[in-house]
Amino acid sequence: MKAIVLEEHGDISQLQYKEKGRKQELASDEIYVEIRYCALNHLDLWLRKGGTGDKFNLPTVPGSDISGVVAETGADVTHVKKGDAVLIYPGVSCGHCEMCANGWETRCPEFQIIGYQRDGGYAEGVVVPSKNVLRIPSDYMDQWAAVPISYVTAWNALVTKGGLNVNDTVAVWGAAGGLGFAALSIVRGFGAEAIAIVGSEEKKAFLRERGFDGHVVVRSDDILKDIRSIAKKGVSLVLDQAGRATWNHSLKMLGRGGRLACCGITTGPKTETDLRYIFGKQLSISGSWMGDKKDLLEVITFLERQPELLPYIDRTYPLKEAGDAQKFVEEGNHNGKVLLEI
């Protein structure tokens, strides 16, 4: 099969379009999925560049967000059949530790992400554990491909850990990007008040074009003043996936008893924090490293009931142009998600 293989860490020249053999003999609990679409994430960039401290086995195939069709099943697989449209939960865990027993796969000591620590979706097909394969409607398979990482992370951060409810006022950083737009969609779906924070007037216009009629704040030196003009007592929940550049602003814009949901470090992992904001306002801070399988199951139900909240696809590239797709994502000018079509 054809695949994009990352030979070594480095620039996009390390993404090689080539023939790659597939596992021929499936285990009884494995499924071979023919991939239709694979969405890009910042994980793909971190994998290519290296230096994250994570252990990788190179060469490898990137790509964590995968939709496709079941092509072959192991002998013990009964919940899906050949030809079914499916979505792949990207997390693989041991399945027998205390964390896995409680449904917290992402806390498993052996947790890995498909397309990050094991071969993923920049390919014509992939073999995965059957428990990771979930049936979805056959319509909008391109949009469904963009769900797992962004929507599951946002759901885990806002709903599972953040306790999102209809009474909340929620500030979302990077609301026009993949994860931010997912978070904004979830907030809207819950009926809570959303404040979308974006980096430019163009991104504000994009949100208006997509039907968002709530508050939009364009990032500036007056960001805190702008937020407080909307939420006089501060917001109750913040989704922050940026890290260093936004962290202290997030703490300051929260009202008393507010919750900070941290799920990324796209601007850097280290910053200095005034701890008085945390204990003085009695803030709660939670971290999300993707999300668990139950989060994805809930997201699928949520989106089946409100398909208008499925991800927005900015641009689609053919598989062999994966390097160009990563370059486009790295430039940061996209809205919503970027896909590879297989």
Side-chain angles (χ1 to χ4, degrees):
M1 67 177 183
K2 293 294 186 181
I4 296 292
V5 179
L6 177 67
E7 300 286 352
E8 297 179 1
H9 297 304
D11 60 24
I12 59 174
S13 67
Q14 296 297 332
L15 298 170
Q16 300 293 314
Y17 181 65
K18 61 196 301 184
E19 191 71 29
K20 188 180 189 300
R22 58 150 287 202
K23 184 178 181 181
Q24 296 299 318
E25 296 291 332
L26 295 182
S28 62
D29 63 345
E30 289 183 327
I31 295 176
Y32 177 66
V33 175
E34 289 182 352
I35 298 170
R36 294 292 183 264
Y37 295 94
C38 181
L40 276 68
N41 293 284
H42 278 92
L43 272 180
D44 305 2
L45 306 183
W46 298 342
L47 170 62
R48 172 171 58 78
K49 295 176 181 180
T52 63
D54 296 314
K55 294 181 179 180
F56 302 111
N57 294 314
L58 302 182
T60 192
V61 177
S64 303
D65 278 348
I66 303 166
S67 70
V69 175
V70 174
E72 186 180 344
T73 62
D76 293 339
V77 177
T78 59
H79 70 292
V80 293
K81 64 183 184 303
K82 185 176 180 178
D84 283 347
V86 293
L87 196 62
I88 295 176
Y89 171 64
V92 180
S93 60
C94 75
H96 53 73
C97 69
E98 179 183 358
M99 297 301 174
C100 289
N102 281 289
W104 301 325
E105 292 92 347
T106 55
R107 304 183 197 182
C108 172
E110 299 178 25
F111 181 76
Q112 293 184 329
I113 297 178
I114 294 168
Y116 193 61
Q117 288 114 340
R118 52 169 62 198
D119 284 348
Y122 286 24
E124 292 177 332
V126 64
V127 175
V128 294
S130 61
K131 65 182 180 181
N132 289 67
V133 179
L134 305 173
R135 189 185 291 110
I136 57 171
S138 58
D139 296 331
Y140 314 116
M141 286 189 69
D142 55 343
Q143 291 175 282
W144 278 108
V147 166
I149 294 291
S150 293
Y151 274 70
V152 170
T153 301
W155 189 276
N156 183 269
L158 292 174
V159 181
T160 303
K161 293 174 181 170
L164 174 66
N165 65 77
V166 70
N167 295 313
D168 278 321
T169 299
V170 187
V172 177
W173 289 97
L179 177 55
F181 191 77
L184 194 64
S185 298
I186 291 168
V187 174
R188 293 169 67 191
F190 269 67
E193 183 177 28
I195 302 176
I197 305 174
V198 296
S200 67
E201 290 291 340
E202 290 76 15
K203 291 185 180 294
K204 178 178 180 178
F206 160 75
L207 292 181
R208 296 301 188 212
E209 291 168 4
R210 300 303 305 166
F212 179 66
D213 57 2
H215 304 289
V216 181
V217 174
V218 178
R219 192 173 63 246
S220 71
D221 292 340
D222 293 324
I223 183 69
L224 294 176
K225 180 180 178 181
D226 293 338
I227 295 293
R228 288 285 181 165
S229 70
I230 299 167
K232 306 298 184 184
K233 296 181 179 180
V235 300
S236 54
L237 181 59
V238 176
L239 190 288
D240 190 331
Q241 74 275 37
R244 180 174 58 199
T246 56
W247 181 258
N248 286 308
H249 289 313
S250 294
L251 292 174
K252 292 176 182 178
M253 69 176 63
L254 282 163
R256 295 184 181 279
R259 294 104 70 201
L260 172 53
C262 173
C263 56
I265 51 168
T266 55
T267 64
K270 297 180 181 180
T271 187
E272 185 173 306
T273 299
D274 186 337
L275 298 176
R276 291 173 296 182
Y277 287 107
I278 299 173
F279 71 78
K281 294 196 290 185
Q282 302 183 61
L283 306 181
S284 298
I285 300 174
S286 61
S288 293
W289 176 239
M290 207 177 80
D292 300 308
K293 184 179 176 181
K294 63 181 178 63
D295 294 313
L296 180 54
L297 290 169
E298 291 173 1
V299 166
I300 290 174
T301 300
F302 176 78
L303 292 173
E304 283 179 332
R305 293 175 179 174
Q306 301 183 81
E308 69 278 7
L309 298 178
L310 279 162
Y312 171 78
I313 307 304
D314 185 304
R315 194 169 298 189
T316 302
Y317 291 80
L319 175 62
K320 63 182 178 181
E321 295 179 12
D324 292 336
Q326 282 204 7
K327 183 179 179 181
F328 181 61
V329 170
E330 195 167 13
E331 289 170 349
N333 294 321
H334 62 291
N335 296 314
K337 298 292 288 186
V338 176
L339 299 185
L340 297 178
E341 182 173 12
I342 318 301

